[in-house]
Amino acid sequence: MFLKTLTVTVAVVNLLFTSSVNAETQSTVSDGPYIHYGKDTLEATWICNNLVVKSSFKHDQATQEIAHCDLAAVINKTNFDLPIIEYKGDFKIAAMSDFHGQYALTTKILKANNIIDESLNWAFGNGHFVITGDVFDRGDKVTELLWLLYKLEQQAEQAGGKLHLLLGNHEVMVLNGDLRYLHPKYHTVSELLDVDFNELFSNETILGRWLRSKPVLVKINNMIFAHGGFHPTIATKDKSLNEINETFKDNLVKTELASERAGFGKFLHKTNGPIWYRGYFKDDGATDDEINLLLTHFDVSHLVVGHTSQQQIETRYQGKVIAIDSSIKNGQYGEILLVNKNSFMRGTPEGKKVPLALSAL
C-alpha cells in the first residue's frame, strides 16, 4: 500500500510574461513534478496553471507519494544500478512501444488488457511488460507517463513481475538536448522554469538517474527486444548483449563523456545502432540470411522492435521480426503484444485479443 499524499510546505512563485515570450509559450500549462536531489532533501517543482510550485522534503521512507494540483509522483528507494538484461521463465509477456506522451490512449490499452487496474496499479502479476522506448516527445503527457512507469516498475517487483523500460531514440535525444520534437507545452515549461528542458532530466534528478539506468535491449526467453533493432553487422562483430548494452550506456550523454564517442560506441549511436535502425522495413534492408544470422548469434526466435510505425502490430520475415510500434503517437489507436507460451496476440484498446499471424507481410 502506498502512503497518502505527503504534506509539504509549498512556495508559489508568480511569473509574469514579458513581450519577449513568444506566442507558443503563452498557453496555460500544468506539469510535474520534477524532483532534484538537494544536500539533505529532495526538491520538487510543479507548474500549476502557469504558477511554479516548489517544495522540499526528506526521502526517509520506503515509499512516499507527493502531489500538487492533481499531479502526483510515488517516490521509492530506487536502485539505479544497471539492470539484468536476460530473463528466462514461465510467465506471460506483454510489449508496447512509442507512447510519445499519449497518456490517455496508453492507459486505456493497459487497462483493457489487464496490465494495470482501473486505479492505474500493476495487475499483471509475475508477468514481464516491455516498453521499447520513445515515451518522450510529440504528445503532452510525457511527465505523467514517466511517473506512471516509475511507479509500476516498483509494483511489478513487489508482485514478482518486471517492467522493462528500454531507451529509444527520443529518450536519448532529450537527454542530449535535442529538443526538436517537444510538444509546445514543454517549451512553455522550459520558459516558465527558465531552464533547458533536458536539464529537468539531468543526473541530479530522480527521473534523470532512473532513465540513465535503463538498458537499450532486453532478452526474455526466445525473444530480444530493442527500439529500432540490430544491424546484421552486429552479429559479424561478435558482440554479446552485455557488450552492446554497456557500450551504448557508456556513450549515452555526450556532455557527460570524457571524450567524444568513437569506435563501436559511435556506431551504436548512429543510423545502424539499436535505437535508429529501420532495416527490417526497407526494400533494400536486411536479408533473410542476415535475420537468421542475428537470431542464431543471439540465440532467439524473434526480434521485437518499435520505432517504425505500423497501423497495427505486424510481423516480417515469417514472424521472426515483430513490429510493435502501432502508431500510438497519433493518439487514435494502438495495440499491445501479448505472449503466453506459444500464443501471440494483438491486444486492442477495447481489450479484444486478435491472433498475430507469424508470417511474411
Side-chain angles (χ1 to χ4, degrees):
M1 294 291 294
F2 290 118
L3 299 178
K4 293 182 179 179
T5 302
L6 183 67
T7 301
V8 295
T9 302
V10 179
V12 179
V13 182
N14 289 288
L15 294 176
L16 300 176
F17 289 104
T18 67
S19 59
S20 65
V21 180
N22 60 43
E24 183 181 59
T25 64
Q26 291 184 7
S27 60
T28 300
V29 302
S30 295
D31 189 34
Y34 296 101
I35 305 177
H36 289 72
Y37 292 96
K39 184 178 180 180
D40 299 309
T41 61
L42 293 176
E43 309 294 330
T45 302
W46 291 262
I47 296 174
C48 299
N49 296 321
N50 281 18
L51 298 178
V52 176
V53 177
K54 294 179 178 291
S55 68
S56 299
F57 60 96
K58 290 186 178 296
H59 186 24
D60 53 3
Q61 303 175 56
T63 301
Q64 293 172 278
E65 180 175 339
I66 63 170
H68 198 77
C69 59
D70 295 324
L71 294 170
V74 176
I75 312 302
N76 301 282
K77 295 289 188 180
T78 303
N79 184 345
F80 295 119
D81 292 339
L82 288 177
I84 298 169
I85 59 170
E86 295 191 44
Y87 296 85
K88 288 184 179 180
D90 183 13
F91 42 73
K92 295 179 180 179
I93 301 168
M96 292 174 72
S97 190
D98 294 75
F99 295 164
H100 285 295
Q102 296 292 349
Y103 182 87
L105 178 56
T106 298
T107 54
K108 179 180 180 179
I109 296 169
L110 293 178
K111 286 188 284 188
N113 291 278
N114 302 311
I115 306 301
I116 61 176
D117 63 21
E118 289 299 318
S119 298
L120 305 180
N121 292 312
W122 181 260
F124 200 42
N126 71 338
H128 284 230
F129 176 38
V130 185
I131 304 102
T132 61
D134 280 10
V135 178
F136 278 90
D137 289 339
R138 296 197 167 97
D140 68 347
K141 292 290 188 294
V142 171
T143 316
E144 292 88 339
L145 278 169
L146 290 172
W147 283 119
L148 174 63
L149 297 178
Y150 181 95
K151 178 189 76 171
L152 291 175
E153 181 181 77
Q154 303 299 318
Q155 292 181 335
E157 290 280 347
Q158 294 168 7
K162 287 285 183 181
L163 183 145
H164 307 276
L165 174 60
L166 307 184
L167 295 171
N169 61 301
H170 284 268
E171 279 73 47
V172 177
M173 289 168 69
V174 169
L175 291 176
N176 280 276
D178 185 343
L179 308 177
R180 289 174 288 166
Y181 296 96
L182 285 183
H183 187 278
K185 168 184 173 178
Y186 295 108
H187 290 293
T188 303
V189 168
S190 180
E191 193 83 38
L192 289 169
L193 297 180
D194 192 25
V195 64
D196 291 336
F197 184 72
N198 54 294
E199 288 302 313
L200 297 173
F201 302 94
S202 76
N203 200 36
E204 299 307 311
T205 68
I206 287 182
L207 289 178
R209 289 189 188 178
W210 181 64
L211 289 167
R212 282 165 176 77
S213 75
K214 297 303 154 199
V216 74
L217 55 88
V218 67
K219 179 181 176 181
I220 305 176
N221 294 336
N222 67 340
M223 296 179 287
I224 186 169
F225 299 80
H227 182 64
F230 302 95
H231 191 277
T233 58
I234 286 183
T236 64
K237 293 177 184 292
D238 197 28
K239 298 293 186 179
S240 69
L241 294 181
N242 280 323
E243 286 178 297
I244 295 168
N245 186 56
E246 290 173 8
T247 304
F248 186 92
K249 297 298 296 301
D250 287 344
N251 290 272
L252 185 59
V253 181
K254 289 182 179 179
T255 58
E256 298 171 8
L257 304 181
S259 59
E260 292 187 2
R261 293 171 183 156
F264 190 51
K266 183 176 182 180
F267 169 86
L268 291 175
H269 280 270
K270 292 294 187 178
T271 304
N272 290 329
I275 63 171
W276 290 104
Y277 185 59
R278 297 189 192 271
Y280 307 147
F281 307 98
K282 294 182 177 181
D283 291 339
D284 59 348
T287 65
D288 289 291
D289 287 343
E290 288 173 329
I291 293 296
N292 290 332
L293 178 66
L294 285 167
L295 296 177
T296 299
H297 177 67
F298 293 127
D299 189 24
V300 293
S301 301
H302 305 282
L303 305 168
V304 185
V305 300
H307 189 48
T308 303
S309 297
Q310 317 294 329
Q311 292 185 344
Q312 61 188 34
I313 292 176
E314 298 183 355
T315 65
R316 298 292 189 276
Y317 301 92
Q318 297 78 46
K320 297 170 184 175
V321 172
I322 302 176
I324 62 170
D325 180 352
S326 56
S327 297
I328 291 172
K329 66 183 180 185
N330 297 326
Q332 298 173 358
Y333 183 78
E335 296 182 344
I336 183 170
L337 175 68
L338 301 168
V339 182
N340 187 5
K341 294 183 171 50
N342 295 320
S343 170
F344 290 75
M345 295 284 181
R346 296 164 32 218
T348 73
E350 292 70 41
K352 183 180 180 181
K353 308 297 189 290
V354 182
L356 178 64
L358 297 183
S359 60
L361 294 174

